[in-house]
Structure formats: structure tokens, C-alpha cells
Amino acid sequence: MTALEGRDGLEAQFAQWRHYAQRRPELRQSDADELEDHLRGSVDELIAVGLRADEAFLVAVKRMGGLDELSREFAREHSERLWKQLVLTGDGDKAAENRSRRDLFAMAVCVVGAAASVKLPTLFGMGLEHDGGFYGRNIALFALPWLAAFLAWRRRAAPALAGALVGLFALGAVAANAYPLAEDSQSVVLTAIHLSIALWFAVGLAYVADDLRSPRRRMDFVRFTGEWFVYLSLIAAGGGVLIGITVGTFEAIGIVPEDFIAQWLVPCGGVSAVVVAGWLVEAKQSVVENMAPVLARLFTPLFTAVLLAFLVAFGVTGDGIDVEREALILFDLVLVVVLGLLLYSISARDPLSPAGLFDRLQLALVVSALLIDVLVMVEITGRITEYGTTPNKAAALGENIILLANLTWSAWLALGFVRRRTPFAALEGWQTGYLPVYAAWAWIVALVFPPLFGYM
């Protein structure tokens, strides 16, 4: 190995270490820089006494100790800083306090915009009770543009990117409203689901506006998605309690608030919660450990056991898989959950740690999902060959093919990592690089499928 090759490999290891250090919620950027300087100094000293670059790096990291231990030490030494970060005023720094206030104001503006958007159709005589198809197709357009606007403002997105975001949401409005879809059309549901997915990736574009080509930022968006979902679920649970209290207290004095709840509280609160959840993730990302990866680590063994039990039961009974609409949605949901568990586990993992028991569990989970995907694809293909295709079956087949490709290569990379033949970065890079494929398919289903299948 030449000195140049050794230095290039060493810089790659430093980049991995720095990437992991930046994930630690207890460490400021200046703290991570200080630790990296210390690490580099130790490596240089070890190289000077004759160690190879890769050996020097491993020894220096070992001497420093685990990063979790170091970050806990920082937490103990800077507990006052951490407590101050838990409130809206940031960490006590004037600039941080001003930034928090600006973020809060921008969030409030976007919340008002989202609430106004969902009520705007009522000016044209539309209502939730008799125009459910319209609201279903457009649900993502009421909230996601405002979340994207907040993130783009916070990232100081370039004018060209802001224009691209406006174009994507305008295209979404066309896809939702330009086609003559009947209320009972399969394409109504497909459009609502896939347009929401496509526009969520537009939100992702706003999220990575500060570094469009960075795989790390894409993985940050994956973590953001999980955190956003957790916060949104908590807000929804709190909203349910609020509705229950509102109904109970007002009925106690003879007032029935159902119309207010149905026409104002639920729709306006629902779209507003989408923006508020995003703001909460942004406001607390440096303080609260990511919950989605923690949940992924908890549920991965459970889902692995369930999928293996399903495969065993399928083999014992020999019964075919029901591929009617509800079953298709269920199996696709299972595969998406598996993919989410894989992504969030990857996002929380120390890239420098060797493969362990949890990595083997993940491999078993991915292989199980891969086998189920193949079984479902065989059933769908058989039904299409025998009875012809429908929008639902065609969409499900396409999604299973896309997931099959992802899971197949993910299983191969995970196997290589477990066998210590493939670096962990390869698995992470594959997942972040594959994200645009999901966005492209969602746009195809929303834009191409309705006219392709005669708007059925």
C-alpha cells in the first residue's frame, strides 16, 4: 500500500468517525471538532513510531474509548447546557435564541397557511361530508407544501430549488384534480396514496436543500421521517383526548359541538399537526435521542419472529396467499415496515462497530421479507395472467418489484457485512441512493396510471 493510498483510506475512516460523532445529541459541532483533533493527533503520533495508517487509527480510537462513553461524559459536564436546550430559547446563546424565535414564527405562519388551505374549498361550496373524494385526493396538498416551505426557509434554499418545489407541488395539484375520476374509481385511492408519497419526497428535497448530493443528509431525512411520524402520532393521541374533553364538557351544559369538531377542529388541527410535528423534530433534534431508531431496534426481533412464523405456517398449510385489495395493502404495508425498520436501524448504528447479533437479526428480517415479497409477486402475476390487470394489482406488482430489488441487494450487502467482507457504509449508501426510485414510482402511479387504465 502506498503512502497516498494509506492516507486516502485514513481520511475515509476519519469521515466515518466524524459522521457518527455528529449524530450524538450531547456534542456540539465544536465538541466534535475538538475530539477529532485529539484523534488525529494520536494517529499521527502512532504513525510516527512505525504503525500503518489503518492500525494507528484503530489503536487511537481504542485509546479514546467509546463515543457513547465520551458523549455521556460531556452530558455530565455540561448538564446546564442540556437542560437549557430543552426549552424554546435554545442553549442560552443570543443567536440561538433569536433563531428559535424566528423558527417559531415561521412555523406559526405555515400552520395558519395549512389551516387556511384546508378550509379554502368551502368557499366554493365543497365540504368534507359530501366531497370526500376531492379531499382524499388533495389531502397531501393541504399540509405538505407548508411543511416544505418551513424546511426550505430554515435551510435557506436557493431560488432555483424553491422554484422546483413549487413546480412539484403544482404538478401534484394537476395529478389530483385534472383527471375525471369517479368517486368509486380505484385510481382515487391510488392517487391519494401515491401522491402523498411523491410529495413527501418533495418535502425531502426541501429538507436536504443545504446539501443536495450528500448521502448523509438523505439519511438524516430518513431519521426526520421517523421522528416526524412519532411526533405526529403523539399529537394525534393528544388531539383525540382534546376532542373527547371538548365533547364531554360542552354537552354537560347542553351544547353539541359536533359541527365545530367536524368542520374546524379535525381538518384544521390535522393539517396543522403535520407542520408542528416537523417543527418539533427540527427544534429538538440536538437534544432528544432519535426515537424511531430506538423503536426499530425494539421491534426488529418481534417482526423477524412474526415473518418467520408466517413462512413456516405457509409451508405447513400450503395455502395460497389472498391477493385481493385489502391483502395487497397489508402485505405491502408489512414490507414497507420492514424497510423502515432497516433504514432506522442503519441510521442509528455506529458505522465503526463490528457486526453483532442485532445485525444478524436484521439479515434474517430482510431475508424473510424477501421471501414473502417473492410469494406475493408470484400470486399477483398469476392473478393478472388469469383475470387481467387492474390499477390496484399493477401498482402492487410494481411496488413489489421495487422492494424486491432493494431487499435483494440489501440482503447481499448485509450478508457481506455480517461476514466482514463488506463495509457498513455500502449498506447505508445503497439505501440512501435508492430513495429516488420510490419517488419516481409514486409519480408514475399518480400521473400515468389513471389515463393508462381509462380512469377506472
Side-chain angles (χ1 to χ4, degrees), residues 116-127 131 134-135 138 142:
S117 296
V118 79
K119 293 302 296 181
L120 185 63
T122 59
L123 299 178
F124 302 93
M126 295 184 177
D131 292 298
F134 169 82
Y135 280 92
N138 288 275
F142 296 133

PDB file of all heavy atoms in Angstrom, residues 116-127 131 134-135 138 142:
ATOM      1  N   ALA A 116     -55.726  27.446   6.588  1.00  0.00           N
ATOM      2  CA  ALA A 116     -56.482  28.197   5.586  1.00  0.00           C
ATOM      3  C   ALA A 116     -56.665  27.381   4.312  1.00  0.00           C
ATOM      4  O   ALA A 116     -57.720  27.426   3.662  1.00  0.00           O
ATOM      5  CB  ALA A 116     -55.769  29.517   5.274  1.00  0.00           C
ATOM      6  N   SER A 117     -55.638  26.611   3.941  1.00  0.00           N
ATOM      7  CA  SER A 117     -55.722  25.803   2.718  1.00  0.00           C
ATOM      8  C   SER A 117     -56.823  24.762   2.798  1.00  0.00           C
ATOM      9  O   SER A 117     -57.565  24.543   1.834  1.00  0.00           O
ATOM     10  CB  SER A 117     -54.375  25.111   2.467  1.00  0.00           C
ATOM     11  OG  SER A 117     -53.355  26.044   2.225  1.00  0.00           O
ATOM     12  N   VAL A 118     -56.938  24.095   3.962  1.00  0.00           N
ATOM     13  CA  VAL A 118     -57.928  23.030   4.061  1.00  0.00           C
ATOM     14  C   VAL A 118     -59.349  23.588   4.125  1.00  0.00           C
ATOM     15  O   VAL A 118     -60.326  22.879   3.812  1.00  0.00           O
ATOM     16  CB  VAL A 118     -57.618  22.137   5.289  1.00  0.00           C
ATOM     17  CG1 VAL A 118     -58.078  22.778   6.585  1.00  0.00           C
ATOM     18  CG2 VAL A 118     -58.227  20.752   5.125  1.00  0.00           C
ATOM     19  N   LYS A 119     -59.496  24.866   4.513  1.00  0.00           N
ATOM     20  CA  LYS A 119     -60.824  25.480   4.555  1.00  0.00           C
ATOM     21  C   LYS A 119     -61.165  26.233   3.275  1.00  0.00           C
ATOM     22  O   LYS A 119     -62.334  26.577   3.039  1.00  0.00           O
ATOM     23  CB  LYS A 119     -60.909  26.448   5.738  1.00  0.00           C
ATOM     24  CG  LYS A 119     -60.852  25.780   7.104  1.00  0.00           C
ATOM     25  CD  LYS A 119     -61.968  24.761   7.293  1.00  0.00           C
ATOM     26  CE  LYS A 119     -63.346  25.383   7.266  1.00  0.00           C
ATOM     27  NZ  LYS A 119     -64.424  24.378   7.468  1.00  0.00           N
ATOM     28  N   LEU A 120     -60.171  26.479   2.435  1.00  0.00           N
ATOM     29  CA  LEU A 120     -60.405  27.241   1.212  1.00  0.00           C
ATOM     30  C   LEU A 120     -61.476  26.630   0.310  1.00  0.00           C
ATOM     31  O   LEU A 120     -62.303  27.364  -0.257  1.00  0.00           O
ATOM     32  CB  LEU A 120     -59.084  27.398   0.452  1.00  0.00           C
ATOM     33  CG  LEU A 120     -59.111  28.277  -0.801  1.00  0.00           C
ATOM     34  CD1 LEU A 120     -59.479  29.718  -0.429  1.00  0.00           C
ATOM     35  CD2 LEU A 120     -57.759  28.234  -1.511  1.00  0.00           C
ATOM     36  N   PRO A 121     -61.511  25.292   0.113  1.00  0.00           N
ATOM     37  CA  PRO A 121     -62.547  24.723  -0.761  1.00  0.00           C
ATOM     38  C   PRO A 121     -63.977  25.024  -0.323  1.00  0.00           C
ATOM     39  O   PRO A 121     -64.897  24.996  -1.155  1.00  0.00           O
ATOM     40  CB  PRO A 121     -62.262  23.217  -0.707  1.00  0.00           C
ATOM     41  CG  PRO A 121     -60.813  23.123  -0.388  1.00  0.00           C
ATOM     42  CD  PRO A 121     -60.551  24.258   0.548  1.00  0.00           C
ATOM     43  N   THR A 122     -64.184  25.318   0.959  1.00  0.00           N
ATOM     44  CA  THR A 122     -65.547  25.607   1.410  1.00  0.00           C
ATOM     45  C   THR A 122     -66.081  26.902   0.776  1.00  0.00           C
ATOM     46  O   THR A 122     -67.302  27.075   0.674  1.00  0.00           O
ATOM     47  CB  THR A 122     -65.598  25.734   2.943  1.00  0.00           C
ATOM     48  OG1 THR A 122     -64.722  26.796   3.362  1.00  0.00           O
ATOM     49  CG2 THR A 122     -65.159  24.439   3.599  1.00  0.00           C
ATOM     50  N   LEU A 123     -65.189  27.780   0.354  1.00  0.00           N
ATOM     51  CA  LEU A 123     -65.626  28.999  -0.332  1.00  0.00           C
ATOM     52  C   LEU A 123     -66.261  28.691  -1.689  1.00  0.00           C
ATOM     53  O   LEU A 123     -66.983  29.519  -2.244  1.00  0.00           O
ATOM     54  CB  LEU A 123     -64.445  29.956  -0.527  1.00  0.00           C
ATOM     55  CG  LEU A 123     -63.767  30.461   0.762  1.00  0.00           C
ATOM     56  CD1 LEU A 123     -62.576  31.352   0.412  1.00  0.00           C
ATOM     57  CD2 LEU A 123     -64.774  31.214   1.619  1.00  0.00           C
ATOM     58  N   PHE A 124     -65.967  27.494  -2.203  1.00  0.00           N
ATOM     59  CA  PHE A 124     -66.522  27.076  -3.496  1.00  0.00           C
ATOM     60  C   PHE A 124     -67.598  26.014  -3.323  1.00  0.00           C
ATOM     61  O   PHE A 124     -67.916  25.267  -4.257  1.00  0.00           O
ATOM     62  CB  PHE A 124     -65.400  26.541  -4.398  1.00  0.00           C
ATOM     63  CG  PHE A 124     -64.304  27.541  -4.644  1.00  0.00           C
ATOM     64  CD1 PHE A 124     -63.176  27.573  -3.831  1.00  0.00           C
ATOM     65  CD2 PHE A 124     -64.413  28.472  -5.673  1.00  0.00           C
ATOM     66  CE1 PHE A 124     -62.173  28.502  -4.054  1.00  0.00           C
ATOM     67  CE2 PHE A 124     -63.405  29.402  -5.897  1.00  0.00           C
ATOM     68  CZ  PHE A 124     -62.287  29.422  -5.081  1.00  0.00           C
ATOM     69  N   GLY A 125     -68.156  25.939  -2.121  1.00  0.00           N
ATOM     70  CA  GLY A 125     -69.279  25.049  -1.869  1.00  0.00           C
ATOM     71  C   GLY A 125     -68.934  23.613  -1.588  1.00  0.00           C
ATOM     72  O   GLY A 125     -69.810  22.744  -1.631  1.00  0.00           O
ATOM     73  N   MET A 126     -67.673  23.318  -1.296  1.00  0.00           N
ATOM     74  CA  MET A 126     -67.269  21.938  -1.017  1.00  0.00           C
ATOM     75  C   MET A 126     -67.219  21.698   0.479  1.00  0.00           C
ATOM     76  O   MET A 126     -66.948  22.612   1.258  1.00  0.00           O
ATOM     77  CB  MET A 126     -65.901  21.650  -1.641  1.00  0.00           C
ATOM     78  CG  MET A 126     -65.889  21.692  -3.151  1.00  0.00           C
ATOM     79  SD  MET A 126     -64.280  21.242  -3.817  1.00  0.00           S
ATOM     80  CE  MET A 126     -64.642  21.319  -5.576  1.00  0.00           C
ATOM     81  N   GLY A 127     -67.473  20.452   0.875  1.00  0.00           N
ATOM     82  CA  GLY A 127     -67.429  20.091   2.289  1.00  0.00           C
ATOM     83  C   GLY A 127     -66.979  18.664   2.468  1.00  0.00           C
ATOM     84  O   GLY A 127     -67.093  17.834   1.561  1.00  0.00           O
ATOM     85  N   ASP A 131     -67.910  15.738  -0.256  1.00  0.00           N
ATOM     86  CA  ASP A 131     -66.844  15.796  -1.267  1.00  0.00           C
ATOM     87  C   ASP A 131     -65.611  15.055  -0.762  1.00  0.00           C
ATOM     88  O   ASP A 131     -64.482  15.546  -0.875  1.00  0.00           O
ATOM     89  CB  ASP A 131     -66.488  17.259  -1.576  1.00  0.00           C
ATOM     90  CG  ASP A 131     -67.618  17.989  -2.284  1.00  0.00           C
ATOM     91  OD1 ASP A 131     -67.972  17.573  -3.397  1.00  0.00           O
ATOM     92  OD2 ASP A 131     -68.143  18.963  -1.699  1.00  0.00           O
ATOM     93  N   PHE A 134     -62.671  14.453  -3.314  1.00  0.00           N
ATOM     94  CA  PHE A 134     -61.808  15.615  -3.554  1.00  0.00           C
ATOM     95  C   PHE A 134     -60.813  15.798  -2.415  1.00  0.00           C
ATOM     96  O   PHE A 134     -59.620  15.991  -2.636  1.00  0.00           O
ATOM     97  CB  PHE A 134     -62.667  16.866  -3.705  1.00  0.00           C
ATOM     98  CG  PHE A 134     -61.868  18.142  -3.694  1.00  0.00           C
ATOM     99  CD1 PHE A 134     -61.231  18.589  -4.837  1.00  0.00           C
ATOM    100  CD2 PHE A 134     -61.756  18.892  -2.519  1.00  0.00           C
ATOM    101  CE1 PHE A 134     -60.481  19.761  -4.821  1.00  0.00           C
ATOM    102  CE2 PHE A 134     -61.022  20.065  -2.496  1.00  0.00           C
ATOM    103  CZ  PHE A 134     -60.375  20.497  -3.651  1.00  0.00           C
ATOM    104  N   TYR A 135     -61.294  15.739  -1.186  1.00  0.00           N
ATOM    105  CA  TYR A 135     -60.405  15.936  -0.041  1.00  0.00           C
ATOM    106  C   TYR A 135     -59.405  14.788   0.089  1.00  0.00           C
ATOM    107  O   TYR A 135     -58.254  14.998   0.481  1.00  0.00           O
ATOM    108  CB  TYR A 135     -61.213  16.073   1.242  1.00  0.00           C
ATOM    109  CG  TYR A 135     -61.785  17.453   1.430  1.00  0.00           C
ATOM    110  CD1 TYR A 135     -63.062  17.767   0.970  1.00  0.00           C
ATOM    111  CD2 TYR A 135     -61.051  18.456   2.048  1.00  0.00           C
ATOM    112  CE1 TYR A 135     -63.595  19.035   1.135  1.00  0.00           C
ATOM    113  CE2 TYR A 135     -61.572  19.740   2.214  1.00  0.00           C
ATOM    114  CZ  TYR A 135     -62.845  20.025   1.748  1.00  0.00           C
ATOM    115  OH  TYR A 135     -63.358  21.285   1.901  1.00  0.00           O
ATOM    116  N   ASN A 138     -56.599  15.351  -2.416  1.00  0.00           N
ATOM    117  CA  ASN A 138     -55.830  16.579  -2.183  1.00  0.00           C
ATOM    118  C   ASN A 138     -55.270  16.698  -0.773  1.00  0.00           C
ATOM    119  O   ASN A 138     -54.658  17.729  -0.457  1.00  0.00           O
ATOM    120  CB  ASN A 138     -56.710  17.800  -2.471  1.00  0.00           C
ATOM    121  CG  ASN A 138     -56.965  18.004  -3.952  1.00  0.00           C
ATOM    122  OD1 ASN A 138     -56.175  18.611  -4.657  1.00  0.00           O
ATOM    123  ND2 ASN A 138     -58.080  17.465  -4.435  1.00  0.00           N
ATOM    124  N   PHE A 142     -52.822  19.991   1.110  1.00  0.00           N
ATOM    125  CA  PHE A 142     -53.230  20.963   2.123  1.00  0.00           C
ATOM    126  C   PHE A 142     -52.132  21.218   3.156  1.00  0.00           C
ATOM    127  O   PHE A 142     -52.038  22.318   3.697  1.00  0.00           O
ATOM    128  CB  PHE A 142     -54.497  20.482   2.845  1.00  0.00           C
ATOM    129  CG  PHE A 142     -55.701  20.384   1.956  1.00  0.00           C
ATOM    130  CD1 PHE A 142     -56.506  19.263   1.986  1.00  0.00           C
ATOM    131  CD2 PHE A 142     -56.015  21.408   1.076  1.00  0.00           C
ATOM    132  CE1 PHE A 142     -57.619  19.166   1.166  1.00  0.00           C
ATOM    133  CE2 PHE A 142     -57.125  21.321   0.249  1.00  0.00           C
ATOM    134  CZ  PHE A 142     -57.933  20.199   0.292  1.00  0.00           C
TER     135      PHE A 142
END
